[in-house]
Amino acid sequence: MAVSNRVTVIGVGNEFRRDDGVGPVVVARLRERAAHGGLSAGIRMVCCDGEPGRLMGLWEGTGLAVVVDAAHAHPGCPGRIHRLELDGYAAWQAGTASSHGLGLGEAVELARALDRMPRHLVVYAVEGADGALGTGLTRTVAAAVGPLTERIEREITRYLAGSRGEAPSQSVRL
């Protein structure tokens, strides 16, 4: 499969399930920053419900795919950000779970089996506090949006400059 240097940011979630909407909120913030010159032109920023086929279609052929999703960790710390780095060879940890039913873990394993992984996949998972019906992020998750947006912007800038120096990956239940 041919892979380009294209960068795609995917916000996974449902903005009508409170903190589960953190991915789309981060993508909206990145779009605002891009409109004001904060990111290079040509960065693809999209939202997705997390269905594995759609995720694979969005990241297929990209050099860097950054996925932002809500996470459930036990014990949890709402607003805490986890960074997972997955390349074409790393196996997804057994026991991962998503608030979307089938989700990111299944998409990674299926994409690997079908040779549809991006060259470099980075997942930012934000621990949520409230996944109930409703709009708006809880205060602690909303407070994580600004720092996470800046972190993703730095990650993209480093990638485009040819450097991937970032903190080691951490595991979290998605």
Side-chain angles (χ1 to χ4, degrees), residues 10 51 66 94 152 158:
I10 305 168
E51 192 276 323
V66 177
I152 292 169
R158 271 193 305 276

Side-chain angles (χ1 to χ4, degrees), residues 21-42:
V22 69
V25 169
V26 169
V27 165
R29 181 76 58 92
L30 285 166
R31 286 178 180 153
E32 288 172 17
R33 293 175 72 96
H36 295 97
L39 283 172
S40 301

